[in-house]
């Protein structure tokens, strides 16, 4: 009987921190997964986490935990697979230190990820993006902050974690204006800024009046904005913008949709590799979903195979009554 606790601690302090130099976000994700697993196992076995051994974390309990995530916590299959990745990482590390538990560890490592449906990307059109950017109240300090935050996120295609981590010194104005950020895998990239984004950020940085090492977007008390705070601001401004832009009412808007909107706006005549560099993708294949979501690319392909005697274009009913019937 070998306790889990010493290996679990070494997994974080030795494997992730020292050997792999994992990012704080990765460590936090693995920590949350294993904390959920230990609490779930404690409820099933009645053992305190510090007293669990590897036989307690067998394939049966891990499978039950994964089902618990989907049925009781209502996590998606994608989240379930993410949790499984963290568990597999721990067990791969344990396999090197505990060969006496090779059978139990091998059974856990044999648990396959779950296939899931890949949903089509949600994004904003140019008009919807403009309506969202103009939604914040410019007479208030928070409104001017949020407008700068929205236009930067949409134009640069930033992840929420990248947006939160930005400091004032990461925005370079003037000739060759750009923003520097650190993405997944500690990959740094520089994204050029458009003239409208540069103008708004120049005004905000002047009002912000912070040092280069100070957070770019902060609360009234000077603290760095949290992920929940940004999601809340996006939701509030989306509700305001939907008054003048009704198409926003049918969209579930969250901060990552703004990143998708940036990628879709780059589709017009920009090479896929450039889009991947712009968004900080490690592999060009990560950019492929944006190609599938772009109907204009498919329409161009359709026009190439359209018979010569057929006028290319999208079908439009000639009569409003027919249009109503088509919509049913």
């Amino acid at each position: 009987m070998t306790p889990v606790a010493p290996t679990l601690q070494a997994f974080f302090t030795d494997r992730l921190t020292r050997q792999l130099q994992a990012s704080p976000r990765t460590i936090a994700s693995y920590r949350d997964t294993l904390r959920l697993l230990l609490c779930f196992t404690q409820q099933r076995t009645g053992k305190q986490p510090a007293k669990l051994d590897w036989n307690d974390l067998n394939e049966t309990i891990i499978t039950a935990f994964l089902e618990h995530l989907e049925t009781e916590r209502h996590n998606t299959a994608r989240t379930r697979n993410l949790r499984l990745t963290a568990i597999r990482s721990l067990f791969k590390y344990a396999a090197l230190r505990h060969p006496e538990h090779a059978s139990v560890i091998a059974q856990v490592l044999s648990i396959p990820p779950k296939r899931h449906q890949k949903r089509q990307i949600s994004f904003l059109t140019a008009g919807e993006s403009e309506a969202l950017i103009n939604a914040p109240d410019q007479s208030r300090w928070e409104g001017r902050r949020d407008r700068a935050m929205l236009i930067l996120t949409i134009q640069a295609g930033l992840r929420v974690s990248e947006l939160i981590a930005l400091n004032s010194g990461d925005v370079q104005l003037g000739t060759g204006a750009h923003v520097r950020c650190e993405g997944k895998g500690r990959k740094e990239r520089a994204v050029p800024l458009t003239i409208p984004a540069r103008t708004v950020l120049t005004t905000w940085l002047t009002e912000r009046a912070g040092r280069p090492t100070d957070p770019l977007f902060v609360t009234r008390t000077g603290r760095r904005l949290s992920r929940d705070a940004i999601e809340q601001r996006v939701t509030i401004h989306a509700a305001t913008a939907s008054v003048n832009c009704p198409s926003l009412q049918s969209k579930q808007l969250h901060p990552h949709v703004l990143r998708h909107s940036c990628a879709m706006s780059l589709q017009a005549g920009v090479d896929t590799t450039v889009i991947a560099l712009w968004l900080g993708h490690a592999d060009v294949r990560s950019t492929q979903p944006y190609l599938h979501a772009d109907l204009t690319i498919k329409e161009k392909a359709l026009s190439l195979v359209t018979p010569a005697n057929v006028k290319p274009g999208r079908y439009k009913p000639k009569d409003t009554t027919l249009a109503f019937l088509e919509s049913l």
Side-chain angles (χ1 to χ4, degrees):
M1 307 291 279
T2 308
V4 173
T7 305
L8 178 66
Q9 294 175 9
F11 172 68
F12 282 96
T13 59
D14 182 61
R15 184 66 165 179
L16 293 182
T17 304
R18 188 179 65 83
Q19 296 180 8
L20 298 180
Q21 296 185 344
S23 69
R25 289 188 293 272
T26 298
I27 294 175
S29 176
Y30 282 22
R31 174 205 63 201
D32 294 341
T33 296
L34 296 176
R35 181 170 55 190
L36 288 172
L37 173 61
L38 294 180
C39 291
F40 175 82
T41 306
Q42 180 182 3
Q43 292 175 353
R44 288 295 181 96
T45 64
K47 286 187 178 182
Q48 294 291 330
K51 296 181 179 180
L52 291 173
D53 59 62
W54 292 102
N55 289 330
D56 294 320
L57 297 178
N58 53 35
E59 184 267 345
T60 302
I61 199 72
I62 299 298
T63 301
F65 170 69
L66 296 174
E67 293 177 356
H68 161 77
L69 292 177
E70 292 189 87
T71 57
E72 297 185 33
R73 293 182 63 86
H74 306 292
N75 292 158
T76 63
R78 186 186 297 273
T79 301
R80 179 250 191 211
N81 291 342
L82 184 66
R83 301 297 190 194
L84 178 59
T85 298
I87 295 171
R88 288 170 60 87
S89 182
L90 170 64
F91 274 74
K92 286 179 181 178
Y93 178 70
L96 303 175
R97 300 169 64 95
H98 302 291
E100 70 275 13
H101 294 289
S103 177
V104 173
I105 293 174
Q107 290 176 10
V108 172
L109 292 178
S110 68
I111 300 175
K114 192 171 185 177
R115 296 177 68 95
H116 57 86
Q117 183 178 5
K118 295 182 178 179
R119 295 175 296 179
Q120 188 168 332
I121 288 173
S122 176
F123 63 94
L124 302 180
T125 64
E128 291 169 343
S129 296
E130 183 178 0
L132 181 64
I133 291 171
N134 293 330
D137 184 0
Q138 296 303 289
S139 65
R140 303 180 69 244
W141 181 86
E142 289 88 348
R144 295 188 291 274
R145 176 202 62 192
D146 291 352
R147 185 167 189 265
M149 183 171 62
L150 290 172
I151 195 171
L152 176 61
T153 306
I154 293 175
Q155 195 256 294
L158 299 177
R159 300 179 179 92
V160 179
S161 57
E162 296 168 349
L163 181 66
I164 292 172
L166 285 180
N167 293 328
S168 297
D170 293 328
V171 177
Q172 301 296 319
L173 302 173
T175 305
H178 64 275
V179 58
R180 296 193 310 269
C181 63
E182 183 179 282
K184 287 184 177 180
R186 293 195 178 93
K187 293 187 296 291
E188 293 186 358
R189 71 181 189 277
V191 182
L193 296 173
T194 60
I195 294 178
R198 188 193 318 171
T199 302
V200 172
L201 286 170
T202 299
T203 303
W204 167 247
L205 284 172
T206 301
E207 183 173 5
R208 172 74 180 85
R211 296 170 298 180
T213 56
D214 290 340
L216 179 60
F217 299 113
V218 294
T219 63
R220 276 283 187 182
T221 58
R223 294 179 298 172
R224 197 180 295 269
L225 283 175
S226 65
R227 179 183 295 269
D228 291 341
I230 293 177
E231 291 181 356
Q232 182 186 46
R233 302 310 298 171
V234 170
T235 301
I236 291 174
H237 297 314
T240 303
S242 64
V243 176
N244 296 322
C245 187
S247 61
L248 285 172
Q249 297 176 1
S250 61
K251 296 188 175 181
Q252 293 184 348
L253 201 56
H254 52 83
H256 209 68
V257 172
L258 308 185
R259 176 173 164 85
H260 293 330
S261 305
C262 170
M264 295 303 297
S265 68
L266 293 172
Q267 290 293 106
V270 179
D271 188 78
T272 307
T273 55
V274 177
I275 300 176
L277 290 172
W278 191 290
L279 298 178
H281 285 161
D283 194 322
V284 178
R285 287 177 296 181
S286 301
T287 312
Q288 295 300 320
Y290 300 113
L291 299 178
H292 292 291
D294 193 347
L295 288 177
T296 58
I297 294 179
K298 298 175 182 177
E299 289 177 347
K300 290 178 182 177
L302 180 63
S303 66
L304 296 177
V305 297
T306 302
N309 59 342
V310 176
K311 184 178 179 180
R314 185 180 297 176
Y315 170 73
K316 295 181 179 179
K318 297 180 180 180
D319 186 83
T320 55
T321 303
L322 291 178
F324 167 74
L325 295 175
E326 290 286 349
S327 67
L328 296 178

